[in-house]
Amino acid sequence: MSRFFATGSDSESEESSSADEITPKAPGTTFKQSLLLSDDEEDTKRVVRSAKDKRFEELTNLIKTIRNAMKIRDMAKCLEEFEQLCRAFLKSKNIVDKEGVPPFYIRLLADLEDYLNQLWEDKEGKKKMNKNNAKALSTLRQKIRKYNRDYETEIAAYKENPQESADEEEEKEQGDSGSSSDSDGEAGDEGVSAKSFLKKKPEASSEASKFLKTAKGSGDESSSSDDDDDDEDWGSDTVDSGSESSDEGEGKSSSLAVVFLKKTQESEKSEKKLGKKKKPKKKERLEEEAEEEGGEEVEGGWEKVKGGAPMVKEKPKMFAKGTEINVPVVVKKLNEILQARGKKGTDRAAQIELLHALAAIAAENNLGQGIMVKIKFNIIASLYDYNPNLAAFMKPDMWKKCLDCIDELLDILFDNNNIFIGENIAEDSENLGSTDQPYRVRGCILTLVERMDEEFTKIMQNTDPHSQEYVDNLKDEGRVCGIIDRLLNYMENKGSTEEICRIYLRRIMHTYYKFDYKAHRRSLGLQGESKSEQDQEESEGEDSAVIMDRLCKFIYAKDRTDRIRTCAILCHIYHHALHSRWYQARDLMLMSHLQDNIQHADPPVQILYNRTMVQLGICAFRQGMIKDAHNALLDIQSSGRAKELLGQGLLMRNMQERNAEQEKIEKRRQVPFHMHINLELLECVYLVSAMLLEIPYMAAHEFDARRRMISKQFHHQLRVGERQPLLGPPESMREHVVAASKAMKMGDWRTCHSFIINEKMNSKVWDLFPETQRVREMLVRKIQEESLRTYLFTYSSVYDSISMETLSEMFELEIPTVHSIISKMIINEELMASLDQPTQTVVMHRTEPTSLQNMALQLAEKLGSLVENNERVFDLKQGVYGGYFNRDQKGGYQQKQSYQRDQKGGYQQKQGGYQRGGYRNQNQSNY
């Protein structure tokens, strides 16, 4: 007897069981049957359940579990399941808004609250509860009281007439089951339920099984096992389901169909059994393969697949001949194609072709733009899924297809204002075919465009930057920016502020690093060489500075996520710095306070911050703000990992510090080559800035033992230059800077100038700046001024007085400039001198110690430190803190809880800390 008859379930359970039990079948079986069955019969096999049914079933299952827990007084289980129920109900919000709160949900809330109140009042019962249950009861009671406030009216209505609401719910359930049974063709003409019908006619199953047994006996008498009995039962079900909704004539045709189906099932069973047996010998196998090929040819043109290759699932067929093409049919076919998505062995390229073919069919039959938008969304998603590996990038043909599809999708959206798209539209509330109402399609165009932008970055990351292919790929950026601009216009009309901020940031990220040459020419007052160039400049839109200002200010005002605002601020600063707007860039950086908490940001934002700081430093250098430039570049350059910190490459490291997985992640963070900052230019700017600060400082503190270093990297380069056994003419950029530093130390500004600004340095560094000549002039001026300061520091002890006119001629500076520099040095007490205004001379006071005195002071200081160290070592060996440090009664290191010798020779414990003001003060008094 069939398992369906044994269960005795109603139509609803039959549907759910059939839907659940389709999956375990072998893929070949279902495909063969789908070939042999007509479309109508295939429809009865597969049940498509709506989102409403799925969500409500999830809720009812959770409610059953809660009721079971209530019966056994398991409060912990009740609390856990109630929290799950609240989450599931929140997921069903869209359906609930549309359908209303389901009555069974209200009934549970009311019953649960009453039940908890009863338990709470039962003092004896509460005492018997274990600790977990008592705690769960208290928590659940508070939660249910708070939760039920939102449904007070519904619960009150239920409590007034609980029987009526229960009846309504039952009627609704019966109505649903009736409609489902009618749609599946399982109910009879008289409206009798499937369950009662099956109870009335058990003979049909036995007759069908007898018929199947005879048919089977004639076909294959040898195979009689338990599997065959199961097959007979399956066949009897098929006969019953066919005979329920048919007359006698239809019964005959159904029985013939069953016989035909039985044969296919037998052949499949025999194939399975053959597969389980051991492999036969070669000759027998060849004969069997020949027989199978012959049988398959009869059955319908099967192709033989060669061994060794993985089995590829068959493509779903397009529509059968004579099928009426309408929106539901196309949606059904679309879902069939999408079901294979992500499964093992699915041919992704074939899926994309099928979706393109489906789009062509929809266009031919004029099914409307709603279904076209739906198909286009899925085509683009399939193109992104073509590479399953996250690190892999799209092939050129797929990339072109993707851009074309997004352009076509945007064309449709711009041409049809009655199409509404969004991620918040539920699948069951989509309107793809009805022209009376606006089309509603589930999907997010913004997400697709963001993914397209990421794919473009991946393509650029994985292309050799020195090849022609990179240039060809980079040409696509114009198209990418065009798509972003079109979407930006669309979102400004139909998008939310959050979506507008996201698309604005994408536009900013494609603009911030590009130097606007046309705006630069306009600011300098230069016109195009020809009339056509002038016309083109006039026709072009607003400057990039205006665009950046407009987009960034919108994000500052409207954005609610810190990340988008942070990225926008950094891009804005970078763009200001790139176009030499130093004060705007500096003020924006200081006002944002990003430097305080940037260490908590994610790595891509940190890389952007590093790039911005570097660009800010280079901008300060171009403007002649040498100290600001040095401070901005100090952190990046002093680490020795500028390449890595700017996302422009990875440094070679041991596998212990970074494993293969981390290396892959870091490679994905790299900035594409066309966005790189020139590292040699960066290092040169840093070293020249350090030279202009460090050389005068070294000259001023030549004999100071406690002299601090402004730049460690610059001192390292100086030491490397000093260690060279043979000093030839400088070749690299670093050697040029070291040679210039040595010349500046001597106050020789002309030699310094010739080392910093020459043909080699121009081609490597200075010509890369947009305003090359202005930067060179600024550098010459700074070298002259700092060389003058160095000269005065170095040779002030030689002069009694020196004329400012002489200094002006030596360093080719104007007398007011020389006067200004010397005045600042006197005010800052760097130079012990005074200005004699009538004679325009600098009179030295000779208060600085001579070189001999300086050396004597250094020797005394070093001897003092040597004595201190010697005494400390001696005291540690003796175990007594005394001697040199204990000359006065208060001396010595009286550490907390330490013992110190008193006058009687014993030891007394002291509770103080370090009671001296510090040994340095005492030593200074001794000197």
Side-chain angles (χ1 to χ4, degrees), residues 519-710:
H520 179 60
R521 284 169 63 84
R522 282 197 289 271
S523 67
L524 296 175
L526 300 174
Q527 294 295 324
E529 293 175 5
S530 63
K531 182 72 176 166
S532 60
E533 284 184 11
Q534 291 178 18
D535 294 340
Q536 188 182 352
E537 285 179 10
E538 286 172 10
S539 64
E540 290 215 358
E542 49 195 349
D543 293 347
S544 62
V546 180
I547 295 170
M548 287 289 293
D549 196 55
R550 178 170 59 83
L551 300 182
C552 290
K553 280 182 178 173
F554 182 88
I555 290 175
Y556 301 157
K558 304 286 185 182
D559 179 57
R560 294 176 186 173
T561 62
D562 285 338
R563 191 181 187 279
I564 291 179
R565 191 188 299 111
T566 302
C567 290
I569 290 170
L570 290 171
C571 292
H572 205 181
I573 295 167
Y574 190 105
H575 195 262
H576 278 317
L578 190 63
H579 292 83
S580 300
R581 296 189 287 271
W582 157 249
Y583 292 104
Q584 290 97 309
R586 183 198 64 184
D587 294 346
L588 190 54
M589 176 59 85
L590 293 174
M591 284 191 295
S592 65
H593 294 287
L594 288 176
Q595 57 272 24
D596 300 337
N597 52 13
I598 194 66
Q599 67 271 14
H600 302 303
D602 52 327
V605 177
Q606 289 186 14
I607 288 171
L608 181 57
Y609 174 79
N610 293 339
R611 284 166 57 79
T612 304
M613 287 303 296
V614 162
Q615 199 60 248
L616 202 58
I618 294 171
C619 173
F621 181 81
R622 286 201 304 268
Q623 301 301 311
M625 313 283 183
I626 301 300
K627 196 164 187 179
D628 290 320
H630 181 269
N631 292 339
L633 300 176
L634 181 63
D635 289 339
I636 300 293
Q637 285 299 119
S638 61
S639 66
R641 298 187 300 129
K643 188 178 184 181
E644 196 169 349
L645 292 173
L646 295 173
Q648 295 181 188
L650 300 178
L651 300 173
M652 295 299 292
R653 288 198 200 169
N654 298 332
M655 288 302 286
Q656 295 172 351
E657 293 182 33
R658 180 173 61 212
N659 57 31
E661 191 61 35
Q662 286 173 327
E663 192 165 339
K664 282 180 188 174
I665 293 167
E666 286 186 24
K667 276 183 180 174
R668 286 203 291 273
R669 292 182 190 138
Q670 299 305 299
V671 177
F673 183 75
H674 64 280
M675 296 168 67
H676 281 196
I677 295 168
N678 191 317
L679 293 174
E680 192 172 20
L681 177 142
L682 173 61
E683 189 177 8
C684 180
V685 166
Y686 175 73
L687 289 176
V688 170
S689 302
M691 177 190 80
L692 293 172
L693 294 171
E694 192 82 66
I695 297 298
Y697 180 81
M698 287 167 68
H701 301 84
E702 189 176 358
F703 301 108
D704 188 358
R706 292 195 180 90
R707 184 181 69 208
R708 64 183 178 83
M709 283 189 291
I710 294 173

Side-chain angles (χ1 to χ4, degrees), residues 822-840:
I822 294 171
S823 300
K824 281 178 187 173
M825 291 172 73
I826 292 169
I827 291 165
N828 295 332
E829 296 182 357
E830 293 173 335
L831 184 67
M832 298 304 169
S834 58
L835 282 171
D836 187 25
Q837 198 67 33
T839 57
Q840 293 284 304

Side-chain angles (χ1 to χ4, degrees), residues 449 453 480-488 503 506-507 510:
V449 171
D453 197 26
V480 169
C481 290
I483 288 172
I484 290 172
D485 278 334
R486 292 184 69 192
L487 182 62
L488 189 145
I503 194 63
R506 289 286 162 182
R507 184 71 183 88
H510 279 279

Side-chain angles (χ1 to χ4, degrees), residues 314-582:
E314 295 291 333
K315 298 176 190 176
K317 297 185 299 175
M318 277 301 164
F319 308 107
K321 224 173 186 182
T323 307
E324 184 187 350
I325 309 295
N326 53 26
V327 173
V329 171
V330 172
V331 170
K332 183 184 170 189
K333 182 56 67 177
L334 177 65
N335 290 330
E336 276 181 30
I337 296 168
L338 293 178
Q339 276 176 355
R341 181 178 168 188
K343 290 184 181 176
K344 193 176 179 183
T346 304
D347 187 355
R348 296 183 183 87
Q351 260 205 323
I352 294 164
E353 286 170 20
L354 284 169
L355 288 168
H356 276 293
L358 193 63
I361 291 168
E364 279 174 24
N365 290 275
N366 297 321
L367 297 180
Q369 297 301 336
I371 191 68
M372 284 300 292
V373 169
K374 179 81 172 170
I375 296 170
K376 289 287 180 193
F377 268 124
N378 286 298
I379 290 172
I380 297 164
S382 300
L383 287 166
Y384 290 146
D385 288 349
Y386 188 74
N387 290 321
N389 188 2
L390 189 66
F393 61 100
M394 289 178 87
K395 299 292 181 287
D397 54 337
M398 290 291 172
W399 171 243
K400 300 289 183 211
K401 277 185 190 175
C402 180
L403 292 179
D404 292 339
C405 278
I406 292 175
D407 266 328
E408 289 167 14
L409 182 57
L410 284 169
D411 288 337
I412 295 170
L413 293 175
F414 274 111
D415 294 341
N416 300 275
N417 288 325
N418 61 339
I419 299 177
F420 293 97
I421 56 172
E423 288 176 312
N424 53 353
I425 296 172
E427 284 183 8
D428 57 341
S429 65
E430 284 184 322
N431 175 28
L432 303 175
S434 173
T435 54
D436 302 337
Q437 299 174 341
Y439 293 115
R440 290 167 61 82
V441 184
R442 180 179 171 80
C444 182
I445 182 73
L446 176 57
T447 309
L448 296 181
V449 171
E450 284 179 333
R451 179 70 190 273
M452 173 204 70
D453 197 26
E454 287 164 13
E455 289 294 338
F456 176 71
T457 306
K458 264 199 268 185
I459 289 169
M460 301 313 294
Q461 283 171 344
N462 289 281
T463 310
D464 178 16
H466 306 294
S467 65
Q468 182 60 34
E469 186 187 358
Y470 192 90
V471 179
D472 295 338
N473 288 339
L474 191 55
K475 288 175 184 174
D476 286 336
E477 193 186 14
R479 200 167 169 195
V480 169
C481 290
I483 288 172
I484 290 172
D485 278 334
R486 292 184 69 192
L487 182 62
L488 189 145
N489 295 331
Y490 179 79
M491 285 294 172
E492 282 175 350
N493 296 326
K494 292 197 172 184
S496 63
T497 51
E498 185 186 346
E499 290 173 332
I500 293 171
C501 287
R502 281 164 63 189
I503 194 63
Y504 274 10
L505 183 64
R506 289 286 162 182
R507 184 71 183 88
I508 288 166
M509 295 298 278
H510 279 279
T511 309
Y512 81 97
Y513 63 90
K514 295 174 184 170
F515 187 79
D516 194 346
Y517 282 98
K518 287 173 184 170
H520 179 60
R521 284 169 63 84
R522 282 197 289 271
S523 67
L524 296 175
L526 300 174
Q527 294 295 324
E529 293 175 5
S530 63
K531 182 72 176 166
S532 60
E533 284 184 11
Q534 291 178 18
D535 294 340
Q536 188 182 352
E537 285 179 10
E538 286 172 10
S539 64
E540 290 215 358
E542 49 195 349
D543 293 347
S544 62
V546 180
I547 295 170
M548 287 289 293
D549 196 55
R550 178 170 59 83
L551 300 182
C552 290
K553 280 182 178 173
F554 182 88
I555 290 175
Y556 301 157
K558 304 286 185 182
D559 179 57
R560 294 176 186 173
T561 62
D562 285 338
R563 191 181 187 279
I564 291 179
R565 191 188 299 111
T566 302
C567 290
I569 290 170
L570 290 171
C571 292
H572 205 181
I573 295 167
Y574 190 105
H575 195 262
H576 278 317
L578 190 63
H579 292 83
S580 300
R581 296 189 287 271
W582 157 249

